[in-house]
Amino acid sequence: MPKSVVRRALEGFHPYVPGEQPPDGEGWVKLNTNESPLPPSPKVIEAIKAAATDQLRLYPSPTAAPARQAIARRFGLDPTQVTVGNGGDELIELCFRAFAGAGDTVAFPTPTYPLFEPLCRIHEAAPSRHPTEDFADLPASLGPDPSPLKFIVNPNSPTGALFDAHHVEAAVVASSGVVAIDEAYVDFAPRSALELLESQDKVLLLRTFSKSYGLAGMRIGFALGSRDLIAALDSVKDSYNVDRLSIVAAVAAIEDEPHHEQVVGEVVRNRGELARALEQMGFEVVPSAANFIFVQPPRPAGEVVAALRERKILVRHYDREPIAGWIRITIGTREQHSKLLEALKEIL
Ligand SMILES: Cc1ncc(COP(=O)(O)O)c(C=O)c1O
């Protein structure tokens, strides 16, 4: 697009760049975008097939009502405390639409999910960055920051570190605005901030079906929070932001908790095995509560990542400070890990 027609606020804009998504069926070992290595519940596939009917000519429920109700039941909440979005990413964007706009600041610890920075530019808000110490501790400066909107990704990405629950609560209590706790990876962690919803009405929890439910391809996320915050998100969303197939997929997925637990259990077990194997090979490994691990290889990361790519293994490489030289590896199956470790032995 000619530069002259783009909003002046977007001059020099760096968009968010998603991880490489090669065409299906080419045999890649894909450990770069934190998808599930295991398929969704068979009940989800059945539900999608059953919903692929003539009824697709009709719009979906504008409130994705069946999904809201099923999610509310699962968490013991009222449906008015739940909203559903086109992936967790849409819910993050709705937070900007509802709570922070031009001239506002939006606060978050760094390093973290790189989507917040471009969204600040798009909404003409200024990022208020709070660097973490050793990736592990939530910065004490975050709570007193007066921003009307804050994000805490917990477990954090790309580090996998889980911030201390008391520190998160203290940051929420000290905040005057909305605190969105992005729990995209929380199912792989020992605890969530769900209890905070009982006492803190300025907290939103953002979740997704993309990771532990194996549904990245469907694009479904949900937010839990007080009625007022959920109503604020609903008031700025697009009318039909979640399609019919996604709604039935969400219901079937949230209702098949045994399948979900099985996936999470396997990923957590594989995470421990991979972390130990990489440590033995001389990698520095950040303790992870997510479905990926953040590691620094004993040789320059760029070379290692390129050599893995030549062997059709994709991982995520970071080349900007403070995480230059680090690699994020999605937890895969044992078979995928064997291929990765074999390749790394050759490369190193
Ligand atoms: C921290 C974080 N939040 C939210 C998301 C959103 O995921 P989705 O839009 O697939 O639900 C991701 C995806 O990678 C993520 O890493």
Side-chain angles (χ1 to χ4, degrees):
M1 200 184 317
K3 194 174 152 205
S4 56
V5 300
V6 177
R7 273 161 55 209
R8 196 166 320 139
L10 291 183
E11 266 173 32
F13 175 58
H14 295 290
Y16 174 72
V17 182
E20 184 175 350
Q21 206 66 25
D24 294 348
E26 290 188 350
W28 291 84
V29 175
K30 212 177 158 298
L31 304 176
N32 63 334
T33 48
N34 300 342
E35 290 140 328
S36 172
L38 300 167
S41 158
K43 293 179 182 164
V44 170
I45 310 290
E46 275 167 36
I48 293 171
K49 283 183 181 161
T53 68
D54 293 355
Q55 293 302 99
L56 289 179
R57 73 191 169 77
L58 299 175
Y59 283 114
S61 158
T63 56
R68 275 187 208 228
Q69 284 155 9
I71 294 165
R73 271 197 302 279
R74 167 82 180 79
F75 292 99
L77 298 170
D78 190 84
T80 57
Q81 294 178 274
V82 181
T83 191
V84 187
N86 182 25
D89 283 349
E90 186 195 22
L91 295 160
I92 293 173
E93 209 266 338
L94 293 182
C95 286
F96 278 83
R97 286 196 204 175
F99 309 121
D104 288 328
T105 54
V106 175
F108 43 85
T110 58
T112 194
Y113 191 30
L115 183 63
F116 303 137
E117 296 268 350
L119 283 177
C120 281
R121 279 296 293 279
I122 292 169
H123 289 273
E124 298 182 47
S128 173
R129 306 179 188 95
H130 294 261
T132 51
E133 192 102 347
D134 295 333
F135 306 143
D137 287 330
L138 191 69
S141 55
L142 188 70
D145 182 308
S147 297
L149 175 62
K150 297 176 187 177
F151 288 99
I152 301 175
V153 180
N154 206 27
N156 198 9
S157 178
T159 63
L162 184 67
F163 296 126
D164 180 274
H166 298 294
H167 294 174
V168 172
E169 183 169 3
V172 169
V173 170
S175 295
S176 48
V178 173
V179 183
I181 305 179
D182 181 341
E183 294 197 328
Y185 300 103
V186 80
D187 293 335
F188 307 102
R191 57 178 182 272
S192 87
L194 197 60
E195 270 183 20
L196 274 188
L197 293 186
E198 286 166 25
S199 57
Q200 303 297 328
D201 55 12
K202 58 198 173 213
V203 170
L204 277 170
L205 301 189
L206 308 183
R207 303 272 188 108
T208 179
F209 284 91
S210 296
K211 315 296 176 183
S212 58
Y213 293 93
L215 286 171
M218 289 303 297
R219 315 300 306 122
I220 333 165
F222 56 100
L224 310 175
S226 65
R227 274 164 203 240
D228 287 349
L229 292 191
I230 294 296
L233 293 180
D234 282 342
S235 70
V236 294
K237 79 175 186 66
D238 297 345
S239 305
Y240 308 108
N241 59 331
V242 183
D243 65 64
R244 281 176 172 263
L245 301 186
S246 296
I247 293 171
V248 296
V251 173
I254 205 91
E255 289 183 346
D256 193 352
E257 186 52 21
H259 178 86
H260 183 234
E261 274 174 20
Q262 192 194 326
V263 170
V264 169
E266 193 161 329
V267 169
V268 168
R269 185 201 62 201
N270 293 359
R271 178 179 75 199
E273 289 176 1
L274 184 63
R276 282 188 289 281
L278 292 176
E279 269 167 356
Q280 280 164 12
M281 295 174 86
F283 281 71
E284 186 177 344
V285 179
V286 176
S288 171
N291 69 339
F292 54 84
I293 49 176
F294 197 54
V295 300
Q296 198 168 37
R299 271 190 46 192
E303 288 173 23
V304 174
V305 171
L308 285 173
R309 196 175 185 290
E310 278 168 21
R311 291 163 175 81
K312 296 198 103 171
I313 299 174
L314 294 178
V315 296
R316 194 79 183 248
H317 175 216
Y318 298 90
D319 54 8
R320 291 219 198 133
E321 289 303 341
I323 49 173
W326 288 81
I327 299 173
R328 192 190 67 188
I329 306 176
T330 302
I331 301 305
T333 58
R334 278 183 162 157
E335 196 192 343
Q336 289 176 317
H337 288 180
S338 301
K339 288 186 185 161
L340 171 71
L341 293 168
E342 269 314 301
L344 285 172
K345 267 182 211 145
E346 277 175 33
I347 296 163
L348 298 173

